[in-house]
Structure formats: C-alpha cells, structure tokens
Amino acid sequence: MLHSLRRSSTSLFAWLLLGALALVFGLSFGLPSDTLSLGAQPLASVHGQPISRQDYTYQLSTVGVFLGLTPDERLQQLLGVREEVLDSIVERLVLGEVAQSIGLRALERQAEELTADGHLIVLGDTRLWLGDRKFNYNNFAKGLLGNLQVSPSRYLEFQRQELLARSVRDLLAASTVVSQAQIRETYDRDANQISLRYARFSSTTYADLVDPTPAEVDAYLLGHRDDLAATYKSEGARFSKLAARSRVRIVRVDLPQPLAEDADGTAKSTRRQQAQAARTTISAARTRILRGESFADVARALSQDHATAGRGGDLGWINVAGTGSGQEQVVDDAATALAPGQTSGVVEGEEALYLVRLVGAREAGDVSEAEALRELAEARVRQERGGNLARQAANEALLALKHGKTMRDVFRAPGGANDATTPIEDLLENAITRADATQATKANQAVNPPTTPGLPQMKISGLFAKNQPVPGLGAAATLTDRAWNANANDEVMDKVFDVGSDYVIAGVEDRKVGDDEGFAAAREEITRRLVAQKSARVTQTFARRRCLEAKARGDITVDQPQVRTLLTYNVRDEKAAPPPAARAFSICDRVGSRGGLLRQARLFGG
C-alpha cells in the first residue's frame, strides 16, 4: 500500500528525492542489514535472525518516542532500560518464530496497511502515531522515520515481525478463559466497599506526654537489666565517640512579625499589644517555674514551639557548640551559660521569647554503660506508659460515644472548626488521671489543644474494598472484618482496635454492596480485564520458556563483548552513591513481559 501511495502522489523528481532521502538515511543511521552490513557482527542472533546495533537503536528510539524515557542514565541503569530494550527485541523474534512454526504468516503488505492507517506496534501494543491527520508518505519518511532513526524498508520489516509476535499473543489471549465464579468473586470484591470514620490514638504521641520519674527508671532497670544490656550491646555505636552534648528544654513564645517601614499607626499599636501579650505569657511561665511547677508541664501548657511542646519542651541531647539546637542562636548561647539543673531568665531572640533549662551535660567521648542503660530504660518507660495512656484515652472516648455523643462532637476534623463539645483533651485528662492519680494536675496542663500535633482527630477513610488496607491506617484485618458485620446506624463499633502499636475507635461511614443487577452490568468489563491479566501471565511464561529453550539449543547466541559495552551506562557523578548492584544480565532474563518496566516508562518521565 505504501508503494501504491507513492506511485499515485509522486513524480520522477519525487522519486529522485526519495532516492536521495534513502541515501541520507543510510549514511546517517546505518544501511539496513538486508542491503549491506560491511561485515559488522550482530549483537545477538535469534533463530538465525541477527540483531544489529541499528535494530537496537530503532527499538530504543521507538520506546523513547512513544513511552518517554528518563534522560537520567543513573535511573536508566537502576531500571535496566538497555537490558529491557535488548530483550524486547529478542522476545519479538522468539514469538515470531513460534508463529511461523505453526503456519502463521505476516506480509510486508500488512505492515504497509498498518502504517498507512497511522498505527505502529511497539512492545506488543498498537499505538496511533498519525493522529487525526491524513497519511502522507513524505511526512512519514521525514517525520516518524527520522525520529526513529530507521530506513523505510527496515521499519516495515520490524512492523512485520511485530505483527507475527502479536498474532501469537492474540492466539494465547483468545484461548484464555476465566470461570464465572472468578468473575463473580472479582465483582463482589470490587463492588463491596466500605468507608470508616475513625480516630487513631498514637502511642508515640502520648509517650511525649510522659515524664518518667527517677524511681520509675530505677524500677525498670532493676526488672529489665538483661534486656537493656542486650540492647546497649547491639546499639552501642550510638553511645560512643560522641561530641560534647547537652540535654535542653525550652519554653517558646512567639513575637509578632516585624512591620513594614510604612506601616500605619493602627498596625504599630496592634504589634505593641501582641509583643506585650507575649512578654506577659513568658513572664507567667517563668513565675510558675519559680514557684516549683515542672518545667515540662509549663512547656506543654504555654510553649508555642509545636515540635517540642508536647514532650515538655525537650530538645533531646544536642551538640550546642556544634550543630546546635535548631532554635535561634540565643537559645544555644543561654544553654552554654547554664549549669545542669539551672533555668535561664527570659531570653529574647528575633523570632520569639524563650526560657531555657539545661537538664544535663556530657563531655565528649563515650557514654558510660550505666548512663546509657538509664537512657534506654527512660525511653522504654515512656514508650510503655504512652501506650497505656493511648489505650485508656481510646477507651474514655469510646465510653463517651456510648453515651450518645458523636465522633464529630468528640474529635476535631482535620482543617475544620473546633466545635467539639467534649474535646478529646478532656478525655485524655481522664485517662491520665485514671492511670496515675499523682498525674492529675499534670494532665490538666499536659496538652495545648489548639497547637499540639498528633492528638486524635476524626478522619474518613473513603471507600475501600474487602481485603484491602484501610486508607490512612494500613492493614487492620480485625477492624475491617468487624466493620462489615457492624450496624451502619451505630455511631461507633463497641471495641478499641489494636493497629500496630496504636489504638483505633471506628464506625461505619458508608457501605456499598454489589447485587445481581450490578454484576450483570459489570460482567463484560470484568471478564475482559481478567482475561487480559491471565493471558499476559500465560504469554510471559510461554515466551520466556521458549527463549530459554532456544538459548539452550544454541538457536540464540550473543556477542558478549559487544553486549557488555552496550549495557555500560554513562554515569559520571562521583559524589552520588552508586546504584544497587544488579544481577548480571543474561539474554532471556526479561523476555515475556513486553518490555516490563519500559511499558510503565511514563511513570518516571521523559
């Protein structure tokens, strides 16, 4: 058909032009192997058909043009782009040999018709390259073939081979069947969906609210010394060869932002009031500490440093003289001037006002085993008590919900207004009080509700199918099983669920159940999808097995030195870490998946 199109639309001059064009293609991109080879050795041979470098260049160009490939050679190396391209050529030839062995044929005329219709096959997929334009041979030769770096005759041969390979894939797909039971099971799995409203009580967040006493740490050390010693032995590196460090706590109260030079009197007056309010707050914090209140309690109640307020202003063990606290320099300067146990006066920075406490200090070198064991024990106590508090807060919330409140009453919704009538912080207070009566005062001051991150909020999972993880929660089989049997009219299920180390209360927000009418409407699409998935697996296994068998018989040979050179990537960034070592390439490794990762190339750009 291409020939007839040329004859009907060209003159003698055009033929001369086409001859010149063919010569340019031959000189620029290599003459086709069916005309002149100049003795060049092929990269590989499959059932007697050579794979030349020009063949490889065409395949790589086709993938790049129609799928898009990242130009980053480091990423190409990690994905094995060149390996995928080479084995996709091998796959095409292996399946073509299978087609011919069972009497199937593909003619050049069929490749011409495919092209004239504006289609081409790449990695087994038929793609439209012409768009809604009318076929024009000159545009085809100069445009498409120029981009693909291939001569017209060689391009048609590649497409003829692709047609042969596609006939085998189509034959396997046509013989693939799926049972009605499998189709119904798939429909039920996809159609039966549920959405949950839930609140998650994070053990880690509640652990930040715990300040273990020395007596608690001593008791834990006494009962778990062997376990702690084993942890110290396995994690000893984190306690050795350290710079001098300080453990610091802060209370931070933000100052208002500076005003523009041309700010009016009203703005200046407002800023003075805000600055005075900040000074009043920091003074109140200092007064409470001087009266004997715990620095950590005051930080939780008044500090506006969201990253540390929940854990009592604790910055942890930091290198004040080196990397610093991450706060303003005045904080590090104040900590340097303090002795362990001392608290600074009000320190003013450019952004905020601070109170700084130096909890402890360590000289440079190794942390002693005794001190390291106490640190590990303190972390364990905090972790265990945090888990207990999270569980008890969840139970308190569940109890409130049983008495007629809704989850929207009790929990804040992300980004929404705080209209909760029984804030979760009050339930937390009850949980802490029940857990330890001596913490009653602390519970009232432990949380700064508007600013403390991580406290439970009501969230909506959105619809998800059976046996899928809960969006936002992950795998929670017990929770989802109970939800499917729960009464959708109940505000919450009568149980606190363990999800990892956290605790969750939940209710059914929405539930959709498939029926026979829905199944009838969806059956055809589901059948098509299942057949495609199953036939892809069958074809992958079949193609790879035929490739390995042919290689074992010697019907597939490889020029190893050439292939090693071809698969060497130009990665020159000496500063970047080398990509993970990949298994050495062997022909047939990636045959069967129609290019594997290359078929998903759009996901990583081009």
Side-chain angles (χ1 to χ4, degrees):
M1 181 172 289
L2 287 178
H3 296 305
S4 63
L5 286 170
R6 284 187 301 197
R7 284 196 295 270
S8 64
S9 62
T10 60
S11 62
L12 177 61
F13 174 78
W15 272 106
L16 293 174
L17 181 62
L18 289 174
L21 182 63
L23 179 59
V24 169
F25 273 115
L27 294 177
S28 299
F29 309 121
L31 293 172
S33 59
D34 54 356
T35 59
L36 184 63
S37 68
L38 298 180
Q41 291 296 315
L43 295 170
S45 176
V46 179
H47 294 292
Q49 296 204 55
I51 300 175
S52 68
R53 281 185 175 269
Q54 288 81 6
D55 299 344
Y56 173 84
T57 299
Y58 161 80
Q59 191 80 348
L60 181 63
S61 299
T62 306
V63 169
V65 168
F66 289 96
L67 295 181
L69 291 177
T70 173
D72 184 348
E73 290 222 14
R74 178 171 292 273
L75 183 53
Q76 287 188 20
Q77 182 180 19
L78 182 64
L79 296 171
V81 167
R82 298 181 184 180
E83 293 87 340
E84 294 275 2
V85 168
L86 182 56
D87 256 356
S88 68
I89 302 173
V90 174
E91 180 177 337
R92 180 213 306 157
L93 296 176
V94 166
L95 291 179
E97 173 64 21
V98 172
Q100 294 183 91
S101 70
I102 60 176
L104 299 178
R105 295 290 182 269
L107 305 177
E108 182 176 312
R109 176 177 54 79
Q110 293 172 289
E112 291 176 343
E113 291 171 350
L114 180 77
T115 303
D117 286 340
H119 293 90
L120 89 165
I121 303 174
V122 54
L123 301 179
D125 289 330
T126 303
R127 296 184 176 272
L128 180 68
W129 64 268
L130 189 58
D132 57 1
R133 296 167 297 166
K134 186 176 181 181
F135 179 84
N136 177 281
Y137 181 80
N138 288 335
N139 291 339
F140 159 71
K142 293 179 180 179
L144 179 66
L145 299 190
N147 287 328
L148 300 184
Q149 304 183 48
V150 67
S151 68
S153 62
R154 197 64 183 146
Y155 170 82
L156 291 174
E157 172 57 18
F158 290 144
Q159 289 302 295
R160 190 191 69 80
Q161 293 172 2
E162 291 280 12
L163 284 167
L164 268 177
R166 189 176 70 178
S167 67
V168 176
R169 295 188 182 102
D170 291 346
L171 187 63
L172 291 171
S175 62
T176 301
V177 295
V178 291
S179 68
Q180 289 300 306
Q182 185 179 1
I183 298 170
R184 182 67 195 225
E185 180 183 350
T186 301
Y187 168 77
D188 288 340
R189 185 185 65 237
D190 295 342
N192 295 334
Q193 297 187 333
I194 196 168
S195 176
L196 303 178
R197 54 181 175 270
Y198 68 88
R200 183 174 194 160
F201 295 75
S202 167
S203 294
T204 300
T205 298
Y206 284 87
D208 286 343
L209 306 177
V210 175
D211 295 316
T213 64
E216 288 177 313
V217 175
D218 290 341
Y220 195 91
L221 264 171
L222 184 63
H224 303 82
R225 180 170 293 276
D226 290 345
D227 184 31
L228 293 169
T231 301
Y232 171 73
K233 184 176 180 180
S234 65
E235 301 179 7
R238 59 181 274 208
F239 296 106
S240 63
K241 300 179 181 179
L242 302 177
R245 290 178 176 256
S246 302
R247 187 171 181 182
V248 179
R249 290 182 186 266
I250 63 168
V251 174
R252 170 178 172 142
V253 178
D254 292 333
L255 289 169
Q257 294 293 317
L259 296 175
E261 292 182 1
D262 59 351
D264 59 23
T266 300
K268 291 178 180 179
S269 176
T270 300
R271 187 181 188 282
R272 283 194 298 271
Q273 293 173 10
Q274 292 172 338
Q276 183 57 46
R279 296 183 191 282
T280 299
T281 300
I282 200 73
S283 295
R286 187 166 186 266
T287 298
R288 289 168 62 170
I289 293 170
L290 291 175
R291 289 176 177 172
E293 194 168 338
S294 162
F295 189 100
D297 290 347
V298 174
R300 290 191 179 100
L302 298 177
S303 181
Q304 295 173 359
D305 184 56
H306 296 180
T308 65
R311 57 177 183 267
D314 191 2
L315 299 176
W317 287 98
I318 56 176
N319 184 359
V320 174
T323 56
S325 63
Q327 301 288 330
E328 293 190 74
Q329 184 61 43
V330 293
V331 173
D332 297 348
D333 293 342
T336 302
L338 296 171
Q342 287 186 332
T343 301
S344 72
V346 175
V347 177
E348 183 168 350
E350 294 182 4
E351 301 174 357
L353 303 170
Y354 301 90
L355 296 175
V356 181
R357 165 161 286 194
L358 182 63
V359 180
R362 289 173 176 167
E363 298 295 331
D366 296 346
V367 177
S368 69
E369 181 175 355
E371 192 173 355
L373 291 178
R374 285 196 66 82
E375 183 174 327
L376 292 171
E378 180 183 338
R380 294 276 188 88
V381 172
R382 183 177 288 109
Q383 179 182 355
E384 289 186 5
R385 285 193 53 200
N388 290 336
L389 290 177
R391 183 177 60 253
Q392 290 168 30
N395 281 313
E396 291 286 346
L398 183 60
L399 184 62
L401 293 169
K402 287 181 181 179
H403 286 80
K405 295 187 179 299
T406 68
M407 292 187 73
R408 287 173 174 81
D409 290 334
V410 174
F411 300 100
R412 293 181 177 87
N418 179 22
D419 57 356
T421 57
T422 306
I424 188 60
E425 289 79 15
D426 292 347
L427 301 176
L428 169 61
E429 177 184 343
N430 292 336
I432 295 178
T433 303
R434 290 168 182 265
D436 186 349
T438 64
Q439 298 289 323
T441 301
K442 181 178 294 186
N444 189 43
Q445 303 163 347
V447 181
N448 185 358
T451 59
T452 301
L455 288 176
Q457 297 175 321
M458 190 200 77
K459 296 184 179 181
I460 305 297
S461 69
L463 289 168
F464 62 98
K466 279 187 176 181
N467 304 319
Q468 286 185 338
V470 182
L473 285 179
T478 302
L479 169 60
T480 53
D481 287 348
R482 178 71 70 91
W484 274 104
N485 295 313
N487 186 340
N489 295 322
D490 291 342
E491 179 64 19
V492 68
M493 290 179 280
D494 187 17
K495 179 178 173 60
V496 172
F497 298 92
D498 295 3
V499 178
S501 61
D502 299 338
Y503 300 92
V504 173
I505 57 176
V508 177
E509 180 74 9
D510 190 14
R511 184 159 52 201
K512 294 184 177 180
V513 180
D515 54 24
D516 291 343
E517 183 178 350
F519 174 63
R523 177 187 295 173
E524 183 176 347
E525 190 281 328
I526 294 174
T527 302
R528 181 199 58 76
R529 175 159 49 93
L530 292 179
V531 167
Q533 293 171 353
K534 185 175 181 179
S535 64
R537 294 193 300 269
V538 170
T539 303
Q540 179 175 9
T541 302
F542 176 78
R544 189 165 189 272
R545 180 170 59 81
R546 291 302 292 256
C547 187
L548 292 172
E549 289 174 351
K551 184 170 71 170
R553 291 193 305 267
D555 292 336
I556 297 179
T557 59
V558 180
D559 186 329
Q560 293 293 352
Q562 278 203 81
V563 169
R564 276 196 299 270
T565 301
L566 181 72
L567 302 183
T568 300
Y569 293 83
N570 185 25
V571 179
R572 297 180 178 177
D573 188 356
E574 298 179 356
K575 295 181 181 180
R583 183 166 58 91
F585 174 76
S586 176
I587 208 78
C588 298
D589 273 359
R590 305 180 184 223
V591 164
S593 58
R594 288 193 288 166
L597 289 175
L598 297 183
R599 291 170 53 77
Q600 304 177 38
R602 289 176 180 169
L603 298 178
F604 46 85

